[in-house]
Amino acid sequence: MREKLVIIGNGMAPGRMLEHLLERSPERYEVTIFNAEPRVNYDRIMLSPVLSGEKDYEQIIIHGDGWYIKHGITLYKGHKITKIDRTAKTVTSEHGVTESFDKLVIATGSVPFILPVPGNNLPGVLSYRDLDDVNAMLVAAQSRAKAVVIGGGLLGLEAAAGLKARDMDVTVVHLMPTLMERQLDPAAGYMLQRELEARGIKVVTKATTQAIIGQHRTEGVMLADGRVIPATLVIMAAGIRPNASIAKDAALETKRGILVDEGMRTSDPDIFAVGECAEIGGEVYGLVAPLYEMARVAAARLTGDDSATFVHNDTPTKLKVTGIDLFSLGDFADGDDRQEIVLRDATAGVYKRLVLKENRIIGTVLYGETTDGAWFNDLKKKQVDISDMRDTLIFGQAYQGGSPLDPMAAVAALPDDAEICGCNGVCKGKIVGTIKEKGLASLDDVRAHTKASASCGSCTGLVEQLMTLTLGDNYNPAAVQPMCACTSLGHDDVRRLIKAKGLKTIHAVMQELEWKTSCGCAKCRPALNYYLVCDWPGEYADDYQSRFINERAHANIQKDGTYSVVPRMWGGVTNSKELRAIADVVDKFAIPTVKVTGGQRIDMLGIKKEDLPAVWADLGKAGFVSGHAYAKGLRTVKTCVGTDWCRFGTQDSTGLGVRIEKFMWGSWTPAKVKMAVSGCPRNCAEATCKDVGVVCVDSGYEIHFAGAAGLDIKGTEVLGLVKTEDEALEVIVALVQMYREQGRYLERIYKWTKRVGVAEVRRQVLDDVERRRAFYERFVYSQKFAQVDPWSERVSGLHKHEFRPLAAVGVAQAAE
Amino acid sequence: MNWIAIGTLSDIPQRGARCVDTPSGKVAVFRTAEDRVFAIDDHCPHKGGPLSQGIVHGAAVTCPLHNWVISLETGKALGADEGCVRTIPVKVEGDLLFIALEAHAHKAA
């Protein structure tokens, strides 16, 4: 007969405890879990990336439903335990389920501290603890209104950065003079504040919250000095309290948290407590590393290993805000018996401080440059006497003993017991050993087997370096294809960092992301130019020299160095006046070939570059604008005749095609975008092999996307059916904007879709009406700056140097 | 050397190029981001693409037709490709640009 183990709570600590338990003694217990949150075990420390949009919920699940089934664990989701009966050895949930136990583990975590001020219960006041909070914030963020975050600690700043990434106007209100004062000294706290302010987050320090004001929901935060900061959303991130009430009710010993011994046992020997609800040696913990240590100890004790004991260890703090590097560890208060070494480079945004006592490191604060964090941590842990390297200590490991500045050498030099992953307490020896022993070859494998870099992920780079060291050429780091030889970053990283770091020029991107070349190459420069055009409409000045010649000359270069020109014919419709003007231009410039393109437009081929401005001038007089047939942008919207003429047409396909083209022309995209609208399922406009297609049917508009008829031939996917032309336009625009924001340069819609998934695109631009609207509005905004006819610009003299030779020299010329 | 004035530095955009018509064909004159100036035949060794129309990066240009990368300093194709384009002597005096066409004249004749 198996013993019965009941766990109250399903957070990260009990989740990890179960993993250890199943590893040690899979058959010993029949496990039942009660979880007040209605979901499986997920990685709570990754909530910030979910809030900022870098990850979604599915990506942060630790144990999915299948895991519980596989291990025969009963999981009650959404069941809050209201009573522990220690005599009967049972627990009872609010839904009335009673379960008996032989051993009980309490893992109820913590509750957010809500400031006891008037208005703290108004709608619009949220805490930041679980996925429900994040979802509520995301809904609030869609209104793009004003948010105030109360609390400038780790959690508050992550919330602020996440809301800012969602386009909210964010103010952080902090009681103390500098941010994160428990982890950072004033200098580093100040640098952090400046960095956040540079990203548009307002910071008010020395601010006491007096009240939250508002009639029916929150309207603002009033400070003690009378200032009122308007806020439609208020996040309370002023601290957490161990959630010990149920243990208290059961007459277990509690102080701040549930008192446990070094084996995680409470005052009742059959009841354990792990996680944020437990108090041990006078301490309660909020960072994940000690919680995982508790999980390890509890699992050992539950399987009869009484040697396992919890030992307090300092844990480094890292802020999970993309683009901000921050590391702090240990004790760094001033004191007579302490000395410090400080390196400060405000311009470069680097600050390092080591606090020493008797020639040993007791505290470290690193800001802006944190690669040596693990090494300093190791010196501190082992209490190494640093007298011999004092002069160069602050410069880090690479400068010790004259060893080269190769980051790989630094990792190679780390001892086996150096901690690599702080969250999971995994050391170098364990990682290297497991890679060798189990023949691991991918980062995911290493994460699965060692847990290293499986939590907050900030040590991923170090783990990858270890993999390279161990596997040599057999390991291809991250398998992320770099954009080009100028960088080791992939397109997605670069796009993310451009946003996160607020980079607004190509030069700034190359400088900040440490490009290996002075001015990039023909692969990265056009890509960066596009990303900046897309991300900062109205702010970024297009870099002409980073465009391919087709976009520079607004015509297609052909094999002999001549160009071809395609005027825009909206929806493929033309008239005698336009045709006459085209014919006149063909005659006047002796254009050798005139051809109808696959997208129903007229192409004039074989034009000399010098003639281009004059050709455009004549076409412009007839009312033509550039057809962008050369562009990584919207090209044509092909149409059939629809209800105007066709016996079968169900909707005005020509009209819709013209409308889409007039709405979207001029927009730049990662690669060319071709569209079509067919008036009935006979599909004469061939809409089902386009980037975006519409097939009109009796009941409305069937929207298609992700087709291709080029290098690959691929039918479209159906996005969905909408009722009205207005809806069709909005969905199409939102789809293209989503692609503009996420696609890699030169990646067609069908390839991007393959990466993102049809369901995800459908979810974001069809099902989620708010998000669709936001995409749509961002597109409309960027069009204000994009819908400029490049031909008329060039005719009026812009970049005229492009079209004339610099000089003509030599005898032959004179003789002509 | 027979130096011929062809224009001024400011006539060429940074990281850009302009062409000069000569008896022996088009010469492409490049200006890099650091204001270094180079001149080479405007004719990619691969399929004759107009190098002056390519993207200039560092001291190299990528041909607009098939992405060969040509060194502006040596005229040699970089990377895996093999080929060479003729370089033409060029100098800057103050803002004025000169190329030396002596070799050309002989060739043309």
Side-chain angles (χ1 to χ4, degrees):
Chain A
M1 185 74 177
R2 292 200 205 180
E3 288 177 78
K4 283 188 164 176
L5 173 66
V6 170
I7 304 170
I8 306 173
N10 196 30
M12 298 177 71
R16 177 56 61 87
M17 185 191 76
L18 277 174
E19 286 176 20
H20 289 302
L21 200 64
L22 293 168
E23 202 171 294
R24 281 171 164 264
S25 186
E27 302 299 323
R28 178 153 176 172
Y29 288 102
E30 186 186 324
V31 182
T32 305
I33 307 173
F34 290 91
N35 190 21
E37 252 192 277
R39 46 184 73 90
V40 293
N41 184 15
Y42 63 91
D43 191 343
R44 203 179 293 269
I45 55 179
M46 295 309 267
L47 284 176
S48 298
V50 173
L51 180 60
S52 65
E54 290 166 59
K55 284 203 178 349
D56 57 32
Y57 171 61
E58 282 71 29
Q59 289 174 290
I60 66 165
I61 290 175
I62 300 176
H63 300 138
D65 286 301
W67 186 86
Y68 297 93
I69 294 165
K70 182 177 150 202
H71 294 287
I73 296 169
T74 309
L75 170 63
Y76 287 98
K77 294 184 214 171
H79 277 244
K80 189 177 173 190
I81 292 293
T82 50
K83 187 173 178 229
I84 301 171
D85 184 334
R86 285 166 56 194
T87 326
K89 294 190 110 175
T90 59
V91 298
T92 305
S93 83
E94 60 185 346
H95 302 305
V97 175
T98 299
E99 191 75 39
S100 64
F101 63 83
D102 296 304
K103 295 274 190 292
L104 176 68
V105 175
I106 303 174
T108 44
S110 59
V111 287
F113 176 62
I114 303 295
L115 292 177
V117 294
N120 64 5
N121 55 356
L122 280 172
V125 180
L126 293 174
S127 56
Y128 182 26
R129 282 301 293 159
D130 58 26
L131 192 67
D132 293 328
D133 294 331
V134 169
N135 286 336
M137 286 187 223
L138 290 179
V139 170
Q142 280 171 359
S143 66
R144 288 198 236 158
K146 292 173 188 299
V148 166
V149 177
I150 301 177
L154 198 64
L155 215 53
L157 297 184
E158 290 184 6
L163 292 172
K164 183 71 207 172
R166 298 287 185 174
D167 282 343
M168 286 194 92
D169 177 343
V170 183
T171 306
V172 174
V173 169
H174 191 49
L175 190 61
M176 305 303 286
T178 55
L179 296 173
M180 285 181 75
E181 76 287 344
R182 279 162 68 191
Q183 291 88 11
L184 298 180
D185 59 7
Y190 176 71
M191 290 178 88
L192 177 61
Q193 180 175 341
R194 279 212 331 206
E195 169 75 39
L196 292 169
E197 284 168 346
R199 293 161 178 231
I201 296 172
K202 298 182 203 86
V203 178
V204 184
T205 53
K206 293 191 251 183
T208 310
T209 303
Q210 184 94 338
I212 294 164
I213 55 173
Q215 286 292 326
H216 304 292
R217 54 172 295 118
T218 164
E219 288 163 20
V221 171
M222 184 193 274
L223 303 181
D225 60 10
R227 261 185 294 176
V228 173
I229 305 169
T232 49
L233 175 68
V234 176
I235 309 296
M236 291 265 189
I240 53 172
R241 299 284 177 271
N243 182 11
S245 56
I246 189 152
K248 214 174 275 175
D249 293 344
L252 292 168
E253 281 180 32
T254 57
K255 271 189 183 167
R256 276 196 293 161
I258 306 166
L259 287 180
V260 293
D261 65 11
E262 58 181 17
M264 307 315 296
R265 266 198 174 89
T266 65
S267 52
D268 182 329
D270 286 330
I271 301 180
F272 294 76
V274 295
E276 289 176 330
C277 62
E279 176 174 342
I280 182 164
E283 299 267 352
V284 290
Y285 292 91
L287 293 171
V288 74
L291 304 184
Y292 277 172
E293 178 65 6
M294 291 179 183
R296 189 187 64 80
V297 173
R301 294 289 178 122
L302 281 168
T303 50
D305 171 4
D306 285 341
S307 66
T309 52
F310 180 87
V311 183
H312 170 85
N313 254 323
D314 283 338
T315 310
T317 304
K318 293 165 191 164
L319 183 68
K320 284 169 292 302
V321 173
T322 307
I324 296 185
D325 294 321
L326 183 159
F327 175 100
S328 95
L329 175 79
D331 182 357
F332 40 82
D334 291 325
D336 287 343
D337 56 345
R338 291 152 183 217
Q339 301 161 318
E340 56 179 26
I341 303 176
V342 176
L343 174 84
R344 192 193 305 264
D345 182 346
T347 314
V350 173
Y351 172 83
K352 303 182 188 186
R353 177 165 173 231
L354 295 172
V355 181
L356 308 174
K357 190 172 170 181
E358 289 157 6
N359 287 322
R360 284 165 177 85
I361 295 176
I362 61 167
T364 307
V365 181
L366 303 177
Y367 183 88
E369 194 359 275
T370 56
T371 39
D372 284 310
W375 186 63
F376 289 133
N377 188 12
D378 197 51
L379 294 178
K380 169 178 172 293
K381 210 152 107 188
K382 296 199 182 123
Q383 287 294 290
V384 175
D385 186 325
I386 52 84
S387 313
D388 291 344
M389 47 183 165
R390 193 178 179 109
D391 291 349
T392 55
L393 183 66
I394 195 81
F395 302 116
Q397 187 177 22
Y399 283 87
Q400 310 310 318
S403 60
L405 248 176
D406 173 8
M408 209 66 111
V411 178
L414 283 176
D416 272 353
D417 60 352
E419 185 172 271
I420 301 294
C421 172
C423 295
N424 293 293
V426 190
C427 64
K428 176 183 165 186
K430 165 101 191 236
I431 297 171
V432 172
T434 315
I435 292 172
K436 284 183 183 155
E437 195 181 310
K438 308 220 181 217
L440 307 180
S442 76
L443 184 63
D444 281 341
D445 283 347
V446 173
R447 283 178 176 155
H449 284 94
T450 67
K451 297 283 168 210
S453 106
S455 294
C456 86
S458 63
C459 63
T460 304
L462 277 176
V463 173
E464 292 207 296
Q465 287 182 5
L466 283 179
M467 295 182 69
T468 309
L469 276 174
T470 316
L471 298 169
D473 292 342
N474 292 331
Y475 179 61
N476 177 18
V480 169
Q481 287 292 319
M483 273 178 74
C484 63
C486 305
T487 176
S488 51
L489 296 168
H491 284 268
D492 299 341
D493 282 333
V494 170
R495 289 211 79 168
R496 200 161 45 85
L497 289 164
I498 284 174
K499 277 282 200 191
K501 288 177 172 259
L503 305 176
K504 297 189 180 174
T505 64
I506 290 181
H507 183 72
V509 174
M510 292 181 174
Q511 200 69 24
E512 282 285 322
L513 306 185
E514 297 174 359
W515 238 242
K516 296 170 193 164
T517 51
S518 65
C519 71
C521 71
K523 275 189 186 146
C524 58
R525 281 235 312 274
L528 294 180
N529 190 50
Y530 166 73
Y531 296 152
L532 294 164
V533 163
C534 174
D535 286 348
W536 313 111
E539 285 185 73
Y540 172 69
D542 185 36
D543 180 33
Y544 184 74
Q545 299 297 356
S546 295
R547 290 211 181 248
F548 294 122
I549 182 62
N550 284 356
E551 289 181 356
R552 246 169 35 231
H554 295 283
N556 282 21
I557 193 166
Q558 303 295 347
K559 61 184 252 183
D560 60 353
T562 65
Y563 291 80
S564 71
V565 161
V566 178
R568 208 167 266 292
M569 271 178 191
W570 310 101
V573 180
T574 187
N575 56 40
S576 61
K577 179 174 159 270
E578 287 186 349
L579 290 171
R580 211 168 276 125
I582 289 176
D584 286 345
V585 168
V586 169
D587 285 346
K588 181 170 170 187
F589 295 95
I591 293 170
T593 301
V594 181
K595 175 155 192 338
V596 175
T597 70
Q600 300 176 331
R601 304 293 185 271
I602 292 177
D603 195 359
M604 292 173 268
L605 293 123
I607 303 172
K608 289 199 281 295
K609 192 177 183 191
E610 303 87 281
D611 287 343
L612 286 173
V615 168
W616 295 336
D618 281 7
L619 290 171
K621 274 179 217 148
F624 284 113
V625 299
S626 169
H628 289 85
Y630 48 81
K632 314 287 177 229
L634 178 77
R635 297 212 172 165
T636 56
V637 183
K638 191 172 175 178
T639 61
C640 71
V641 296
T643 44
D644 276 358
W645 297 94
C646 178
R647 289 182 291 150
F648 303 107
T650 65
Q651 311 281 357
D652 177 16
S653 57
T654 316
L656 178 56
V658 171
R659 188 173 167 197
I660 295 171
E661 190 166 348
K662 289 205 162 162
F663 198 88
M664 301 188 77
W665 75 277
S667 57
W668 302 101
T669 44
K672 64 182 168 189
V673 172
K674 294 179 170 179
M675 300 195 189
V677 184
S678 284
C680 78
R682 285 167 189 77
N683 192 16
C684 295
E686 294 162 338
T688 50
C689 61
K690 293 289 185 280
D691 295 287
V692 182
V694 179
V695 177
C696 300
V697 290
D698 267 333
S699 58
Y701 303 81
E702 193 175 68
I703 299 175
H704 289 241
F705 74 119
L711 283 173
D712 291 309
I713 299 178
K714 197 183 154 299
T716 46
E717 308 281 346
V718 178
L719 187 63
L721 180 79
V722 297
K723 295 264 177 274
T724 66
E725 209 183 90
D726 287 351
E727 275 178 277
L729 182 72
E730 184 170 301
V731 169
I732 290 168
V733 166
L735 167 70
V736 171
Q737 180 65 13
M738 181 179 172
Y739 163 63
R740 293 183 74 220
E741 291 175 12
Q742 300 181 0
R744 298 170 186 160
Y745 194 64
L746 301 185
E747 180 180 56
R748 293 284 299 269
I749 287 187
Y750 73 99
K751 289 190 175 165
W752 164 73
T753 304
K754 202 168 153 196
R755 207 154 53 75
V756 186
V758 173
E760 183 60 22
V761 176
R762 195 176 289 140
R763 190 177 72 74
Q764 294 200 23
V765 304
L766 200 68
D767 303 343
D768 186 340
V769 179
E770 294 286 317
R771 192 185 281 245
R772 176 209 301 176
R773 194 72 210 170
F775 277 129
Y776 176 85
E777 279 166 9
R778 285 201 291 276
F779 182 86
V780 169
Y781 178 72
S782 79
Q783 281 296 77
K784 285 209 290 194
F785 312 97
Q787 253 180 8
V788 178
D789 177 37
W791 286 0
S792 53
E793 275 191 330
R794 296 303 176 285
V795 170
S796 67
L798 186 72
H799 301 309
K800 61 173 187 271
H801 62 79
E802 180 77 64
F803 305 100
R804 290 183 198 153
L806 180 62
V809 295
V811 270
Q813 183 79 19
E816 262 176 19
Chain B
M1 287 280 195
N2 176 21
W3 291 106
I4 304 169
I6 52 168
T8 66
L9 185 65
S10 50
D11 289 334
I12 310 176
Q14 274 190 339
R15 294 178 302 161
R18 298 283 301 272
C19 284
V20 176
D21 289 327
T22 77
S24 57
K26 276 194 164 108
V27 167
V29 185
F30 295 86
R31 175 180 175 188
T32 72
E34 296 88 25
D35 286 341
R36 297 170 72 199
V37 179
F38 299 97
I40 61 177
D41 273 347
D42 190 24
H43 196 83
C44 180
H46 176 220
K47 294 209 167 170
L51 294 171
S52 57
Q53 312 299 303
I55 288 180
V56 180
H57 45 94
V61 62
T62 296
C63 177
L65 289 195
H66 306 98
N67 292 330
W68 276 37
V69 181
I70 308 293
S71 161
L72 297 176
E73 288 168 314
T74 64
K76 286 201 175 99
L78 299 174
D81 298 319
E82 278 183 33
C84 194
V85 58
R86 196 171 43 148
T87 59
I88 289 105
V90 59
K91 71 172 180 182
V92 189
E93 276 180 12
D95 193 34
L96 278 182
L97 300 178
F98 299 85
I99 56 173
L101 267 193
E102 211 161 24
H104 277 76
H106 285 301
K107 200 158 189 183

